[in-house]
């Protein structure tokens, strides 16, 4: 149609000429034609469409019903199948679980069966005393129990029961082993309260069962991990009850007896004394005992367990025993075997050798690990121990000497000096100074200690000092130095110990202070030369001048004088106290006054007499005379001062005074007399108040005329102080004039 | 415990005599009722206190035992000062100890501060077989020097207690010997009180 319009349009111009009618006609035709065509087309179309539509609709209906059917089927299938599926799955699970359980039960039952068997075997083996087997069974049980516990079965009653059973069995095993051990190793020891008695020590006995059973027991014990404890207590007993006695008592030795069941180790008395046992002998005894024990049960190797790498029992025992034993051997045997003088030092090689052999033997038996040898180390250090012991002994000895009573005395200073010098010369030719002294430049007595008494203990102390130095010069360097300083320490100790320890006696007893004075002087006398005497024989640095005692001389001299001067002061105080009883000699004509004055004088004389008796033989003569005359002088001075201070002396007074003083004049001179020598020590010489005192007596009894005569003669001038005399004369109521 | 108020007085008693006559043994027998045959020599002075009742009077005895050996003697006037009684001992089996009595009396005379001091002579060791001094001799000597006399044995106890009792009895009977003893060294109680009032410890004043 469009084309038709376009034709119309295209030709519109050209068609103008044609008439519209034609044209209209034509168009109407054409429209009619189209109408027809359309109608036919539509009719045709429609006719076709309708049946198709119906069919389609039909089909659609069918499809829908089918879909519905399918959906319902689907739902049905889904519901039914999945439920069935899950059910069967759970069924499957159930089944497999059941299987597992059954398996586990089977397993457990198996285990339980084994356990039961083991338990039965265990008790039978225990009955039959097959401890090793019992022990193996027990470890098997333990293993099984572990399995049981790891499973989920642990809550089962039977497991708990078994666990208890196992524990019981463990304990039973341990108990049985202990029983077996106590039956196999039997100790018989004295009661604790008797343990110090010698006879009861001899009853000590160790019985060890013979046979392989003991080894079985020990193996089992090792597996049960109780062996170490057992061995520890065994070794402690061994040390305490056997070895210690062997070490401490020199007169016992081990005795080994074998019966058909047991080996018996006991102690028996031997012939020797109770002294310290020699190391060689001790080693022999110890080896006998150890060897016996070793042969019985010790040479078995323990099975290697997880943390125990198969060591021998000997090794375990050694570890337990050795520390104690070596300490005891050192402290109670080797210590005493250390020689006390250097001459014995060489023979000590034997002990060292014996010690070495002893330790080697022990190592060979596996008792000792190589390289641990405390005994040998100790023995080899003998020089050090020797010096230490020596010095310690010396100091102890010196101290005990210092603490003994001072009053046991010896005389010294008697030996004639030439002899002593010769002694010095023979021992040491280099003493040139003494040689010069010998060439009569000095008197014989110059270097000699005066004769006096000293305490015996100090004399011994000095001897100890000389002996020690003598030993020092023959000793090794280290030893010599140590010994030298020990001697010095001894003297230092003296300065501290003696004045402190004897303090009270030194103050109270005049004789002791005199003795102490002598003692100190005697020591200082020796200290002067002691260093020189040994200096050149001592090792460096001592020979370079360090070996001297001279520095101690002033200390000792001070010690001597301090003590004695203190005593002198005490005596002076006492005399003054006695004289004060005379109340200044006032009016002695009266009976009471005369009596007290006489008493005072008698007391002083008594005191001086006492001192004379206790000092006479003790002090050196010069010191004695000096001390006595000083005291007499002090007394006289006091009397003279008192009398010359008197204001008024009646004739009777002076008579009485004169008679009182005559007592002194009579009794004083013997006071200066020494018991041992004939030599006379006149009072006029030694007591400077003596002349004055005599002059006083003369003045007291004389008439003024006589005094004047005396004075003009010049006799009294040098003695009485003139003012004093004048005063006294003034106070005298002289008969004439 | 003896009440302090009941004690009548405190007496100072000395024991003197030669060495080895048994002074310390007598004292120990009296105070401790012990006897040591190996009694060591006394050095310086020993001192013991014992309470003794004589005829209802309780007295405290301060007994001073001195060294007999000259070298152990510490001769101080304070030892004799204020003593009311003295026991002079000799050994009946040792004549020398008897002969030395004069010397001891002389010392006592020289140092005692009381003229009427009561003296008792004791012949010790009568248990010994070998007697050298007759009882009569001892008695004679005692009479001569106005002393009490008894023979005793520290070993067998014989006469020991009696000796001390008689001595104390005599001291108490002697007028003026122990009462109002203002100066005596043995007025321990007085001194003790004094020291308390001075606020000093009880012991130092005795030294």
């Amino acid at each position: 149609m469009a084309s038709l319009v376009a034709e119309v349009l295209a030709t519109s111009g050209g068609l103008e000429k044609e008439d519209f009618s034609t044209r209209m006609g034509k168009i109407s035709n054409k429209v009619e034609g189209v109408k027809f065509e359309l109608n036919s087309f539509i009719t045709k179309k429609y006719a076709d469409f309708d049946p198709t539509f119906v069919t389609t609709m039909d089909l659609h209906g069918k499809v829908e019903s089918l879909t519905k059917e399918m959906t319902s089927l689907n739902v049905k299938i889904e519901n039914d199948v999945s439920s069935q599926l899950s059910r069967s799955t759970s069924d499957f699970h159930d089944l497999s679980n059941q299987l597992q359980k059954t398996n586990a039960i089977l397993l457990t039952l198996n285990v339980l069966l084994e356990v039961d068997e083991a338990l039965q075997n265990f008790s039978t083996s225990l009955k039959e005393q097959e401890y090793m087997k019992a022990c193996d069974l027990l470890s098997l049980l333990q293993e099984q129990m572990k399995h049981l516990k790891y499973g989920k079965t642990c809550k089962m009653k039977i497991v708990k029961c078994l666990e208890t059973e196992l524990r019981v069995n463990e304990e039973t095993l341990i108990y049985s082993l202990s029983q077996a051990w106590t039956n196999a190793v039997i100790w018989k020891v004295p009661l604790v309260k008797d343990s110090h008695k010698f006879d009861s020590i001899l009853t000590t006995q160790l019985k060890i069962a013979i046979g392989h059973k003991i080894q079985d027991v020990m193996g089992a014990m090792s597996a049960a991990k109780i062996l170490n404890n057992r061995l520890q207590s065994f070794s402690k007993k061994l040390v305490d009850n056997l070895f210690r006695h062997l070490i401490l008592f020199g007169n016992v030795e081990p005795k080994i007896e074998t019966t058909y069941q047991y080996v018996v180790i006991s102690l028996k008395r031997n012939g020797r004394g109770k002294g310290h046992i020699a190391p060689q002998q001790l080693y022999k005894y110890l080896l006998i005992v150890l060897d016996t024990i070793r042969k019985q049960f010790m040479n078995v190797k323990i099975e290697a367990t997880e943390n125990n790498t198969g060591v021998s029992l000997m090794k375990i025992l050694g570890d337990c025993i050795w520390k104690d034993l070596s300490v005891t051997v050192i402290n109670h045997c080797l210590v005493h075997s250390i020689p006390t003088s250097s001459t014995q030092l060489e023979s000590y090689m034997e002990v060292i050798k014996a010690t070495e052999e002893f330790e080697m033997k022990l190592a060979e038996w596996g008792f000792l690990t190589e390289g641990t040898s405390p005994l040998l180390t100790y023995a080899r250090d003998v020089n050090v121990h020797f010096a230490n012991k020596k010095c310690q002994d010396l100091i102890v000895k010196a101290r005990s000497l210092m603490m003994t009573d001072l009053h046991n005395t010896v005389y010294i200073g008697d030996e004639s000096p030439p002899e002593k010098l010769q002694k010095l010369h023979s021992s040491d030719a280099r003493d040139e100074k003494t040689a010069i002294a010998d060439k009569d430049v000095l008197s014989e007595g110059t270097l000699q200690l005066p004769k006096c008494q000293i305490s015996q203990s100090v004399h011994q102390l000095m001897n100890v000092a000389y002996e020690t130095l003598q030993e020092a010069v023959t000793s090794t360097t280290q030893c010599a130095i140590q010994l030298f300083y020990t001697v010095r320490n001894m003297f230092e100790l003296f300065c501290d110990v003696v004045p402190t320890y004897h303090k009270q006696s030194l103050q109270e007893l005049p004789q002791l202070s005199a003795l102490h004075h002598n003692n100190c002087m005697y020591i200082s006398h020796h200290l002067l030369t002691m260093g020189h005497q040994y200096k050149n024989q001592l090792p460096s640095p001592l020979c370079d001048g360090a070996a001297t005692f001279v520095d101690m001389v002033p200390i000792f001299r001070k010690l001597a004088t301090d003590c004695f001067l203190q005593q002198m002061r005490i005596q002076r105080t006492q005399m003054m106290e006695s004289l004060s009883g005379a109340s200044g000699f006032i009016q002695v004509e009266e009976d009471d006054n005369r009596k007290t004055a006489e008493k005072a004088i008698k007391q002083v004389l008594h005191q001086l007499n006492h001192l004379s008796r206790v000092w006479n033989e003790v002090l050196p003569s010069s010191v004695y005379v000096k001390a006595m005359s000083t005291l007499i002088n002090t007394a006289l001075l006091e009397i003279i001062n008192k009398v010359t201070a008197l204001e008024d002396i009646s004739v009777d007074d002076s008579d009485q005074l004169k008679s009182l003083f005559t007592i002194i004049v009579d009794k004083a001179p013997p006071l200066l007399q020494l018991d041992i020598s004939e030599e006379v020590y006149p009072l006029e010489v030694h007591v400077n108040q003596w002349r004055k005192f005599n002059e006083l007596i003369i003045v007291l009894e004389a008439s003024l005329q006589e005094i004047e005569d005396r004075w003009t003669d010049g006799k009294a001038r040098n003695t009485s102080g003139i003012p004093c005399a004048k005063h006294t004369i003034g106070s005298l109521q002289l008969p004439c004039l | 415990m003896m009440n302090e108020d009941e004690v009548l007085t405190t007496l100072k008693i000395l024991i003197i005599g030669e060495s080895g006559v048994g002074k310390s043994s007598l004292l120990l027998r009296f105070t401790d009722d012990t006897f040591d045959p190996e009694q060591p020599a006394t050095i310086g002075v020993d001192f013991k206190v014992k309470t003794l009742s004589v005829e209802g009077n309780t007295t405290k005895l301060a007994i001073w035992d001195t060294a007999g050996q000259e070298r152990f003697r510490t001769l101080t006037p304070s030892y004799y000062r204020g003593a009311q009684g003295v026991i002079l001992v000799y050994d009946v089996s040792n004549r020398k100890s008897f002969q030395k009595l004069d010397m001891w009396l002389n010392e006592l005379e020289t140092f005692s501060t009381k003229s009427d001091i009561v003296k008792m002579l004791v012949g010790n060791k009568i248990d010994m077989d070998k007697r050298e001094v007759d009882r009569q001799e001892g008695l004679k000597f005692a009479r001569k020097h106005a002393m009490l006399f008894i023979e005793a044995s520290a070993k067998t106890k014989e006469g020991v207690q009696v000796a001390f009792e008689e001595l104390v009895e005599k001291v108490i009977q002697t007028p003026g010997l122990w009462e109002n003893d203002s100066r005596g060294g043995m007025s321990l109680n007085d001194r003790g009180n004094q020291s308390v009032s001075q606020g000093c410890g009880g012991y130092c004043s005795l030294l």
Side-chain angles (χ1 to χ4, degrees):
Chain A
M1 220 179 319
S3 53
L4 186 71
V5 174
E7 233 176 283
V8 167
L9 285 171
T11 53
S12 54
L15 287 171
E16 271 175 280
K17 292 160 194 163
E18 297 170 22
D19 73 339
F20 280 102
S21 48
T22 50
R23 280 213 173 174
M24 275 303 285
K26 261 185 167 171
I27 288 171
S28 298
N29 288 345
K30 277 198 179 170
V31 170
E32 279 305 314
V34 169
K35 267 185 180 172
F36 179 73
E37 245 177 81
L38 195 61
N39 189 35
S40 70
F41 180 74
I42 285 171
T43 316
K44 195 188 168 190
K45 269 282 182 186
Y46 206 75
D48 281 350
F49 174 74
D50 199 42
T52 315
F53 179 73
V54 170
T55 322
T56 308
M57 280 309 281
D58 205 31
L59 272 173
H60 180 74
K62 272 181 185 170
V63 165
E64 262 189 358
S65 74
L66 196 68
T67 311
K68 239 178 229 168
E69 213 169 305
M70 270 176 71
T71 314
S72 75
L73 189 70
N74 200 14
V75 169
K76 206 177 175 185
I77 284 171
E78 253 175 30
N79 286 346
D80 285 7
V81 170
S82 69
S83 74
Q84 262 179 8
L85 207 66
S86 67
R87 197 182 302 143
S88 67
T89 315
S90 69
D91 277 359
F92 174 76
H93 275 296
D94 283 354
L95 281 174
S96 59
N97 274 355
Q98 252 171 356
L99 187 67
Q100 271 176 357
K101 259 184 205 164
T102 320
N103 276 344
I105 288 167
L106 206 62
L107 200 72
T108 314
L109 283 176
N110 244 338
V111 170
L112 288 177
L113 189 70
E114 267 179 56
V115 167
D116 181 55
E117 241 171 59
L119 282 175
Q120 269 177 7
N121 286 343
F122 175 78
S123 49
T124 48
S125 63
L126 210 57
K127 259 180 214 153
E128 285 159 19
Q129 300 191 328
E130 289 171 340
Y131 297 108
M132 207 57 217
K133 199 171 151 196
C135 198
D136 287 345
L137 286 169
L138 201 64
S139 61
L140 186 78
L141 275 175
Q142 278 161 345
E143 198 68 19
Q144 303 287 25
M145 281 310 291
K146 227 182 265 172
H147 284 309
L148 283 180
K149 270 192 192 167
Y150 277 121
K152 288 185 177 175
T153 48
C154 56
K155 280 176 190 158
M156 278 167 74
K157 243 185 189 170
I158 190 160
V159 176
K160 276 190 181 159
C161 289
L162 281 176
E163 218 171 304
T164 324
E165 185 67 21
L166 179 67
R167 181 65 49 78
V168 169
N169 279 331
E170 276 171 4
E171 294 304 321
T172 318
L173 178 69
I174 290 171
Y175 174 75
S176 313
L177 284 174
S178 310
Q179 278 307 102
W181 172 260
T182 9
N183 286 336
V185 178
I186 303 164
W187 279 101
K188 195 175 143 200
V189 292
L191 296 173
V192 178
K193 66 181 169 73
D194 292 335
S195 58
H196 60 280
K197 289 184 195 155
F198 183 69
D199 286 334
S200 58
I201 283 159
L202 289 179
T203 61
T204 308
Q205 211 178 49
L206 168 63
K207 281 161 89 177
I208 300 171
I210 298 175
H212 68 280
K213 202 172 270 176
I214 179 82
Q215 294 169 9
D216 190 41
V217 170
M218 298 192 73
M221 281 167 77
S222 155
K225 298 197 182 83
I226 56 167
L227 184 64
N228 275 11
N229 282 342
R230 278 284 147 188
L231 281 181
Q232 252 161 26
S233 72
F234 174 74
S235 55
K236 191 171 182 312
K237 275 185 171 172
L238 202 59
V239 174
D240 284 352
N241 294 317
L242 280 177
F243 294 153
R244 184 173 286 274
H245 294 153
L246 285 174
I247 294 165
L248 291 183
F249 296 92
N251 52 352
V252 292
E253 61 178 49
K255 188 173 71 173
I256 314 291
E257 286 166 313
T258 315
T259 63
Y260 70 103
Q261 260 186 318
Y262 291 106
V263 166
V264 183
I265 304 172
S266 59
L267 298 172
K268 73 172 183 196
R269 198 190 291 264
N270 64 15
R272 280 181 293 103
K274 249 191 159 184
H276 299 296
I277 187 169
Q280 293 96 317
Q281 194 64 36
L282 178 68
Y283 295 153
K284 209 174 101 190
Y285 292 161
L286 293 182
L287 286 179
I288 291 174
V289 175
L290 285 172
D291 193 32
T292 313
I293 294 169
R294 184 180 70 105
K295 277 183 188 144
Q296 286 325 301
F297 52 74
M298 292 303 184
N299 52 356
V300 220
K301 287 249 175 188
I302 300 288
E303 289 298 314
T305 53
E306 56 233 70
N307 49 7
N308 191 350
T309 47
V311 284
S312 80
L313 277 172
M314 219 45 194
K315 166 87 173 65
I316 301 173
L317 190 68
D319 286 347
C320 299
I321 233 176
W322 186 239
K323 209 173 143 198
D324 267 2
L325 184 62
S326 60
V327 168
T328 318
V329 169
I330 288 173
N331 286 344
H332 294 285
C333 175
L334 282 180
V335 163
H336 301 295
S337 74
I338 299 286
T340 44
S341 79
S342 49
T343 44
Q344 296 165 339
L345 207 53
E346 281 169 30
S347 59
Y348 200 72
M349 275 313 291
E350 284 173 30
V351 176
I352 296 178
K353 205 170 144 235
T355 309
E356 200 172 354
E357 280 168 5
F358 176 65
E359 293 196 333
M360 264 168 63
K361 192 82 186 166
L362 291 184
E364 185 187 308
W365 286 346
F367 189 76
L368 255 184
T369 29
E370 301 278 339
T372 50
S373 48
L375 294 181
L376 190 59
T377 318
Y378 183 87
R380 280 195 176 135
D381 285 342
V382 63
N383 279 326
V384 178
H385 299 306
F386 167 70
N388 284 342
K389 182 183 177 180
K390 179 90 196 165
C391 295
Q392 192 185 325
D393 285 356
L394 279 170
I395 289 289
V396 169
K397 190 176 174 189
R399 190 179 146 80
S400 69
L401 277 176
M402 288 168 206
M403 281 161 62
T404 52
D405 287 335
L406 294 171
H407 53 71
N408 294 325
T409 59
V410 286
Y411 281 99
I412 48 124
D414 246 354
E415 63 264 60
S416 54
E419 221 176 276
K420 211 180 176 196
L421 287 179
Q422 273 163 16
K423 235 197 279 174
L424 272 177
H425 277 289
S426 60
S427 68
D428 182 1
R430 282 158 283 104
D431 210 335
E432 287 174 14
K433 278 180 193 163
T434 341
I436 293 166
D438 221 10
K439 284 179 195 161
D440 68 22
V441 181
L442 296 166
S443 85
E444 270 192 355
T446 304
L447 294 174
Q448 195 191 4
L449 195 69
K451 189 181 175 187
C452 62
Q453 283 186 35
I454 58 162
S455 301
Q456 206 173 24
S457 57
V458 171
H459 192 246
Q460 284 166 354
L461 184 73
M462 212 62 217
N463 284 343
V464 170
Y466 272 111
E467 279 162 19
T468 311
L469 286 176
Q470 195 63 49
E471 184 150 355
V473 297
T474 56
S475 300
T476 55
T477 306
Q478 178 56 38
C479 208
I481 292 173
Q482 216 170 337
L483 285 172
F484 174 82
Y485 281 104
T486 304
V487 175
R488 274 190 69 95
N489 286 342
M490 269 162 54
F491 289 123
E492 272 166 22
L493 196 67
F494 183 94
C495 298
D496 290 332
V497 167
V498 175
T500 315
Y501 187 77
H502 298 286
K503 191 177 179 190
Q504 206 187 350
S505 315
L506 287 177
Q507 272 178 10
E508 284 181 356
L509 304 176
Q511 191 184 45
L512 282 195
S513 20
L515 268 174
H516 182 62
H517 166 270
N518 292 355
N519 290 343
C520 295
M521 284 304 187
Y522 169 77
I523 292 174
S524 68
H525 173 78
H526 280 274
L527 291 184
L528 276 173
T529 51
M530 206 178 209
H532 293 292
Q533 203 173 329
Y534 293 100
K535 193 177 92 180
N536 293 329
Q537 289 154 277
L538 286 167
S540 177
L542 293 177
C543 60
D544 306 329
T548 183
F549 294 95
V550 179
D551 57 317
M552 296 175 123
V553 169
I555 301 170
F556 272 89
R557 285 188 179 155
K558 190 167 181 306
L559 217 55
T561 49
D562 278 358
C563 173
F564 195 66
L565 283 178
Q566 196 198 357
Q567 187 61 48
M568 289 285 280
R569 277 193 288 273
I570 292 171
Q571 295 301 330
R572 186 186 62 194
T573 314
Q574 200 178 310
M575 281 198 314
M576 292 302 131
E577 206 183 319
S578 297
L579 283 175
S580 71
S583 322
F585 300 98
I586 295 169
Q587 292 182 338
V588 282
E589 61 182 341
E590 282 170 33
D591 213 27
D592 282 352
N593 289 345
R594 187 188 55 77
K595 270 187 184 165
T596 51
E598 189 180 342
K599 203 170 200 175
I601 284 178
K602 275 188 172 171
Q603 284 182 356
V604 170
L605 283 171
H606 192 97
Q607 185 190 341
L608 288 170
N609 259 314
H610 173 68
L611 290 177
S612 158
R613 281 195 298 271
V614 297
W615 282 350
N616 205 312
E617 293 202 358
V618 172
L619 287 171
S621 52
S622 59
V623 180
Y624 171 77
V625 171
K626 200 171 172 194
M628 286 307 288
S629 49
T630 306
L631 287 174
I632 296 171
N633 207 40
T634 313
L636 292 182
L637 193 65
E638 175 72 8
I639 294 171
I640 291 167
N641 284 342
K642 283 274 145 57
V643 172
T644 51
L646 288 174
E647 292 295 335
D648 187 27
I649 305 173
S650 71
V651 180
D652 286 345
D653 278 343
S654 62
D655 276 353
Q656 291 297 353
L657 283 174
K658 199 214 132 202
S659 68
L660 280 178
F661 296 161
T662 318
I663 308 176
I664 301 179
V665 176
D666 288 345
K667 300 228 167 134
L671 290 173
L672 283 194
Q673 207 50 52
L674 286 160
D675 290 355
I676 42 164
S677 95
E678 299 290 305
E679 206 176 327
V680 181
Y681 296 92
L683 285 158
E684 290 82 355
V685 179
H686 295 280
V687 183
N688 56 24
Q689 296 291 325
W690 186 248
R691 278 165 186 266
K692 197 170 167 182
F693 184 67
N694 278 307
E695 202 65 29
L696 180 66
I697 296 172
I698 290 168
V699 168
L700 283 173
E701 71 177 340
S703 66
L704 192 58
Q705 185 59 52
E706 286 166 326
I707 297 169
E708 211 179 290
D709 290 348
R710 260 182 90 78
W711 280 38
T712 44
D713 284 354
K715 271 182 190 165
R717 199 167 297 154
N718 55 349
T719 50
S720 317
I722 304 249
C724 260
K726 271 188 182 159
H727 179 84
T728 307
I729 293 159
S731 6
L732 288 168
Q733 296 171 359
L734 292 165
C736 357
L737 298 175
Chain B
M1 259 311 276
M2 187 62 65
N3 191 339
E4 198 68 23
D5 297 334
E6 291 169 19
V7 176
L8 179 67
T9 185
T10 304
L11 299 179
K12 178 173 177 179
I13 309 289
L14 309 181
I15 307 181
I16 57 175
E18 272 303 283
S19 77
V21 296
K23 297 181 290 300
S24 302
S25 294
L26 281 173
L27 176 60
L28 286 177
R29 173 58 82 193
F30 176 61
T31 57
D32 302 358
D33 200 16
T34 55
F35 180 76
D36 179 5
E38 308 280 310
Q39 181 74 29
T42 308
I43 295 178
V45 180
D46 254 356
F47 180 83
K48 291 245 176 213
V49 176
K50 180 165 168 120
T51 331
L52 185 71
S53 287
V54 180
E55 294 184 341
N57 295 319
T58 304
T59 48
K60 202 189 238 175
L61 302 185
I63 310 168
W64 298 54
D65 170 32
T66 81
Q69 279 193 55
E70 196 118 53
R71 56 183 178 149
F72 296 146
R73 301 204 67 204
T74 156
L75 188 81
T76 55
S78 64
Y79 170 60
Y80 283 96
R81 188 178 298 142
Q84 288 104 338
V86 62
I87 293 177
L88 188 53
V89 190
Y90 69 95
D91 174 0
V92 296
S93 66
N94 178 358
R95 175 153 283 280
K96 218 174 163 190
S97 73
F98 184 70
Q99 285 160 348
K100 286 266 188 161
L101 287 175
D102 277 319
M103 190 213 88
W104 287 101
L105 275 176
N106 181 32
E107 186 179 302
L108 177 65
E109 207 62 44
T110 309
F111 286 98
S112 75
T113 55
K114 290 177 189 295
S115 54
D116 49 0
I117 184 169
V118 178
K119 290 170 274 187
M120 165 166 274
L121 184 63
V122 175
N124 192 24
K125 305 199 190 177
I126 50 170
D127 56 286
M128 302 278 270
D129 295 332
K130 192 173 62 70
R131 191 186 258 269
E132 288 185 0
V133 184
D134 200 53
R135 189 186 151 82
Q136 286 306 317
E137 272 184 278
L139 197 60
K140 210 175 128 197
F141 186 87
R143 279 217 189 100
K144 189 176 146 198
H145 293 95
M147 293 189 276
L148 301 167
F149 177 68
I150 198 165
E151 287 195 322
S153 163
K155 191 174 175 183
T156 65
K157 285 190 183 189
E158 198 181 336
V160 177
Q161 181 80 13
V162 184
F164 281 91
E165 279 171 3
E166 278 194 21
L167 181 72
V168 171
E169 201 181 328
K170 185 74 189 290
V171 171
I172 292 175
Q173 284 166 2
T174 309
L177 185 53
W178 54 274
E179 301 106 329
N180 306 322
D181 196 348
S182 56
R183 206 199 135 214
M186 278 321 295
S187 52
L188 281 173
N189 288 334
D190 295 348
R191 281 216 194 177
N193 294 338
Q194 189 189 345
S195 68
V196 168
S197 65
Q198 284 168 352
C200 172
Y203 296 105
C204 55
S205 67
L206 295 178
L207 294 173

